[in-house]
Amino acid sequence: MMIRRIESFGAVSFPEGNDNSEAFAAAFDFFRKNGGGILKVGKGIWKTGPLTLCSNITLELEEGALLSFIPEPELYRPVKTRWEGVVCYAMHPCVFAAGETDVTICGKGTIDGDGQVWWKLLEKKRKQGKPLEPIEKELASLNPGYETQPGGGGGRNTQFLRPALVQFYECKNVRILDVTLKNSPFWTLHPVFTDTLLIKNVSVINPHDAPNTDGMDIDSCVNVEIDACRISVGDDGIAIKSGSGEDGIRINKASKNIKISDCTVADGHGGVVIGSETAAGIENVCVDSCRFEGTQRGIRLKTRRGRGGAVRQLEFKNLTMVNNLCPLTINMFYCCGTNRNEPEFFSQEALPVKSDTPSIKDIVISGIKASGCKASAGFIAGLPESPVENILIEDCSFEVDMTSSEDPSVSDMYAGIPECNEKSFRLLNVKNISFNNSKVIGPSEEFIRR
């Protein structure tokens, strides 16, 4: 196999080298023309603009290598991708592969998105309300009708569609091994429409207050294995998605056959998360032997009317959760990215079942040990017209910190549901749920059905 070092293409590490974009482009063009190979990046800081990988490539970041991305939005030219559940044009991910096969990123080096600049820009963009900068106006022209497209709170209305740190789009046979990913402008590792994916021994690090910096977003992908990863981020840890609303239903590519094992997630909004983009369905997911420490939620399923999709055949087993707000939430009244007063989303009346009505069923939860639950022991809220169905909770313990001042209302981000002052395990619109050898410790009333 052909092996080359990045210096052979003219790259120079910082401080002498301030932009190695041309060197990396030349390297990938060389490997593309010669059938692939290994590109080694050695110790040092390598500043660059966005990279586009090719098939049969291994990008090896040796120990001490830091791939540092220049935080200038105009460098990240529009590419077709999926952004918060909708296929559209967005800024070029920092590391990107589209339609490629046999791609590997490995080594003990680091990929750094210099997200601090992007996060500060987002604060400003949230006040402007519409596209103003040239790149935003260009994206707006490429995305007609963006004003009515669904979002999750990332800022679609301004078309400041920040880049993911690493993204694979319509790829096959992808491996990400041993590297550290940090300071992502937006979602960190985001494979879309990808078949056969291994993520092993990867660390993802973003500040706890960095906006929309999910650790991993497995988006309409199949045959995925995530093993022995460590994640500490400012949003969901490991999320599984399949598109949002009409666009996701139209494309109709489910996420399925996914195994997550021996991972640790700290901080962030959720440990392992399903949704909220569920339009094409999510099925056959197994989460085994993971630890969620200080995440707001542990197991988190979220969707709402209009998101669509059948979520089913999920198994969560042998999980340890410490100091969460709520260890288990299944929330079909998820409110982020929409007006909380919209009755079609948050009505407590049974509405007609439509193509964009989501469903959740067939879930096994076993061997969970949760302690220090600050807001409540659990929260499951289905829709009146589409209850959460067929749930088995077996050999589990949910221990509530009754001294915590956290209100039960922060168990998850919901709207339309009457408030509850008890830290109990709350059930609303749930059909056929069994608790076998499971207990709630702390509240005077273990379960509340209202």
Side-chain angles (χ1 to χ4, degrees):
M1 181 176 288
M2 194 174 298
I3 302 174
R4 293 287 188 275
R5 303 195 70 85
I6 188 60
E7 293 96 328
S8 66
F9 297 95
V12 179
S13 62
F14 184 80
E16 288 79 13
N18 289 308
D19 186 353
N20 290 295
S21 300
E22 291 185 2
F24 278 102
F28 295 125
D29 185 57
F30 170 82
F31 284 113
R32 185 177 292 106
K33 292 176 179 177
N34 289 278
I38 301 174
L39 177 63
K40 289 180 174 284
V41 180
K43 184 177 180 180
I45 299 172
W46 305 89
K47 289 188 170 293
T48 181
L51 308 183
T52 304
L53 307 183
C54 61
S55 292
N56 305 307
I57 187 72
T58 295
L59 175 60
E60 182 179 341
L61 304 176
E62 297 176 346
E63 188 169 5
L66 176 65
L67 203 56
S68 177
F69 285 88
I70 301 166
E72 297 177 9
E74 292 294 332
L75 295 177
Y76 297 78
R77 306 306 304 153
V79 296
K80 187 177 181 182
T81 180
R82 177 183 264 177
W83 202 89
E84 286 196 336
V86 176
V87 171
C88 63
Y89 286 86
M91 294 183 194
H92 191 299
C94 298
V95 180
F96 186 50
E100 310 293 351
T101 61
D102 298 310
V103 178
T104 298
I105 300 174
C106 65
K108 295 186 177 180
T110 299
I111 300 175
D112 189 333
D114 204 358
Q116 294 86 347
V117 174
W118 296 92
W119 308 328
K120 288 180 180 178
L121 280 172
L122 180 64
E123 292 180 12
K124 176 182 175 182
K125 301 299 178 184
R126 283 177 169 166
K127 300 174 183 177
Q128 73 185 36
K130 63 180 182 179
L132 293 180
E133 300 297 331
I135 185 66
E136 298 161 8
K137 291 181 178 179
E138 184 177 1
L139 287 169
S141 69
L142 291 168
N143 296 324
Y146 73 88
E147 299 92 340
T148 61
Q149 291 174 342
R156 190 182 299 277
N157 62 321
T158 66
Q159 290 292 280
F160 182 61
L161 306 185
R162 290 165 285 156
L165 185 61
V166 178
Q167 185 178 90
F168 301 95
Y169 187 86
E170 294 183 338
C171 292
K172 189 171 184 178
N173 297 335
V174 172
R175 302 191 310 161
I176 306 99
L177 311 173
D178 303 323
V179 294
T180 295
L181 310 177
K182 62 186 294 187
N183 297 324
S184 178
F186 184 55
W187 294 353
T188 306
L189 176 56
H190 183 205
V192 186
F193 308 139
T194 290
D195 182 349
T196 311
L197 171 65
L198 173 63
I199 306 168
K200 186 177 178 66
N201 199 32
V202 170
S203 295
V204 182
I205 306 168
N206 296 315
H208 69 88
D209 58 350
N212 314 114
T213 54
D214 295 11
M216 302 177 186
D217 293 271
I218 310 304
D219 198 346
S220 291
C221 296
V222 298
N223 306 320
V224 178
E225 183 177 352
I226 303 172
D227 182 51
C229 293
R230 300 160 300 280
I231 300 169
S232 177
V233 294
D235 209 308
D236 290 328
I238 301 172
I240 303 172
K241 304 172 180 290
S242 65
S244 183
E246 293 181 1
D247 190 69
I249 293 169
R250 174 184 61 83
I251 293 172
N252 194 31
K253 290 186 178 180
S255 278
K256 58 185 178 181
N257 306 334
I258 298 168
K259 183 176 182 180
I260 302 168
S261 57
D262 296 303
C263 293
T264 299
V265 183
D267 300 316
H269 296 178
V272 169
V273 181
I274 308 294
S276 65
E277 295 88 343
T278 55
I282 296 167
E283 62 183 91
N284 193 20
V285 176
C286 179
V287 181
D288 185 10
S289 302
C290 295
R291 181 180 178 88
F292 307 139
E293 185 167 352
T295 59
Q296 292 179 4
R297 294 107 203 152
I299 302 167
R300 187 186 195 194
L301 281 68
K302 53 180 179 175
T303 188
R304 63 169 173 263
R305 294 178 177 111
R307 293 267 155 163
V311 177
R312 60 187 181 181
Q313 297 174 1
L314 311 179
E315 183 178 15
F316 302 90
K317 60 182 181 180
N318 307 321
L319 307 180
T320 300
M321 307 184 195
V322 180
N323 297 331
N324 315 105
L325 289 177
C326 186
L328 166 62
T329 66
I330 302 177
N331 175 15
M332 298 184 76
F333 289 88
Y334 181 66
C335 64
C336 287
T338 190
N339 185 340
R340 294 178 182 230
N341 297 317
E342 294 183 75
E344 65 269 30
F345 292 140
F346 304 116
S347 172
Q348 289 299 301
E349 300 296 323
L351 302 182
V353 174
K354 303 185 296 183
S355 62
D356 61 0
T357 302
S359 65
I360 298 176
K361 65 179 181 179
D362 303 334
I363 302 174
V364 176
I365 299 167
S366 63
I368 307 301
K369 294 183 179 179
S371 60
C373 308
K374 300 179 184 303
S376 68
F379 175 87
I380 302 179
L383 297 172
E385 68 273 19
S386 181
V388 178
E389 294 187 62
N390 303 335
I391 310 295
L392 172 62
I393 298 178
E394 189 170 46
D395 300 324
C396 293
S397 173
F398 305 96
E399 184 176 355
V400 178
D401 177 4
M402 297 303 293
T403 67
S404 170
S405 61
E406 297 286 358
D407 192 270
S409 64
V410 301
S411 295
D412 205 1
M413 302 169 183
Y414 60 81
I417 298 175
E419 297 299 336
C420 173
N421 295 323
E422 302 297 327
K423 293 180 180 287
S424 308
F425 201 120
R426 188 177 185 186
L427 304 170
L428 180 68
N429 300 320
V430 180
K431 182 179 179 181
N432 190 22
I433 183 169
S434 299
F435 289 87
N436 295 344
N437 192 33
S438 296
K439 56 187 177 180
V440 173
I441 302 170
S444 57
E445 190 175 359
E446 287 185 300
F447 303 100
I448 295 176
R449 289 183 174 268
R450 62 178 182 269

